[in-house]
Amino acid sequence: MPTVGYVNRTDRLYALVEELRAVAPRPRSARWLAGKFEVSARTVERDIGALQQSGVPIYAEPGRTGGYCLDRSHTLPPVNLTPGEAVAMALALRRLDGTPFRAEAGSALRKLVAAMRKDDAAAAQDLAARVHLLGDAGSPPPMPHVLGTRRVLRIGYADREGAVTRREVEPLGYVGKPDHWYLVAWCRLREQVRVFRTDRITSIAATAEVPPPRPLRREDLDIPYGVVEQLTLAG
């Protein structure tokens, strides 16, 4: 039996659901699943418990040939959410803070992420990790769509006096406030990390160039007021 290493728990949860869906209604034992995913049986049991708490219809069949099985009649096929759509849903959940449906919305997001294709789920996690909100941001405005790309952007940017400069920037991350968004990027004109208010971006175009990876350091997010909080897809 081939083994697959899943370092990311979200990837493993998705793969567990897909494995059980593929063989349903036949069961898979915790020992069998542990061998496939190169984890302990106890880890499998914890993962199954987390999926059950999120509402995934997984049941335990007793007996020597028993194990965990999925009720296919109560599940959906893989959801073709894009990484941007998943992050947009996580941002939308912020509007439900303090309402009676916040927990249910979080559970729905976890189910959708677990049902995404492995590569898309990983890309969504990567994008979410680059989105930060000020602790008092509440519900920030919609993030400009094109800013979700990892490609080099050509932008026109107006300063406080309205003077526009043309720049090529490498997106690193995003910070949301109640009234507007900031793009954190490596500016090739200034040759350093700069922060751009998105409402001052007068034009924008994504190029075909994928820039080399650059880390988004904590000091790049050193905002003198408020607490910066990283967006999560955990709901």
Side-chain angles (χ1 to χ4, degrees), residues 130 132 155 157 167-175 182-197 212-223:
R130 294 186 287 122
H132 297 77
I155 66 172
Y157 190 70
R167 320 215 184 177
E168 284 194 351
V169 300
E170 303 172 14
L172 300 177
Y174 314 90
V175 176
Y182 293 99
L183 165 67
V184 183
W186 176 265
C187 178
R188 292 181 172 180
L189 177 64
R190 306 302 185 196
E191 296 187 341
Q192 59 182 282
V193 174
R194 300 298 289 266
V195 178
F196 303 93
R197 253 180 60 170
R214 297 181 188 271
L216 180 58
R217 304 169 303 171
R218 188 67 188 176
E219 52 264 37
D220 297 329
L221 298 171
D222 187 16
I223 298 176

Side-chain angles (χ1 to χ4, degrees), residues 16 50 75 78 133-134 142 184 228:
L16 275 170
T75 63
L133 304 171
L134 284 175
V184 183
V228 177

Side-chain angles (χ1 to χ4, degrees), residues 94 133-140 176-179 223 225-229:
R94 305 271 306 185
L133 304 171
L134 284 175
D136 58 354
S139 302
K177 290 178 57 181
D179 47 353
I223 298 176
Y225 56 89
V227 177
V228 177
E229 173 189 348

Side-chain angles (χ1 to χ4, degrees), residues 20-49:
L20 294 177
R21 178 182 285 116
V23 300
R26 292 178 291 128
R28 289 291 195 205
S29 69
R31 182 177 179 181
W32 192 98
L33 293 168
K36 179 176 178 63
F37 298 111
E38 297 181 341
V39 295
S40 68
R42 183 178 292 273
T43 295
V44 168
E45 291 167 357
R46 284 199 298 264
D47 287 349
I48 293 293

Side-chain angles (χ1 to χ4, degrees), residues 101-186:
F101 301 102
R102 180 61 179 82
E104 285 80 359
S107 175
L109 177 62
R110 290 191 295 272
K111 291 178 187 178
L112 288 170
V113 172
M116 291 173 69
R117 290 189 294 256
K118 177 184 173 183
D119 291 347
D120 286 344
Q125 296 285 358
D126 176 70
L127 177 57
R130 294 186 287 122
V131 176
H132 297 77
L133 304 171
L134 284 175
D136 58 354
S139 302
M143 189 171 78
H145 174 71
V146 73
L147 296 185
T149 182
R150 292 301 299 265
R151 299 182 183 277
V152 174
L153 301 176
R154 291 194 180 101
I155 66 172
Y157 190 70
D159 63 17
R160 293 181 180 178
E161 284 71 42
V164 176
T165 55
R166 305 295 172 184
R167 320 215 184 177
E168 284 194 351
V169 300
E170 303 172 14
L172 300 177
Y174 314 90
V175 176
K177 290 178 57 181
D179 47 353
H180 48 253
W181 281 92
Y182 293 99
L183 165 67
V184 183
W186 176 265

Side-chain angles (χ1 to χ4, degrees), residues 48-70:
I48 293 293
L51 289 167
Q52 289 172 327
Q53 290 177 10
S54 294
V56 180
I58 298 175
Y59 304 98
E61 272 194 7
R64 187 175 59 86
T65 60
Y68 295 107
C69 57
L70 184 71

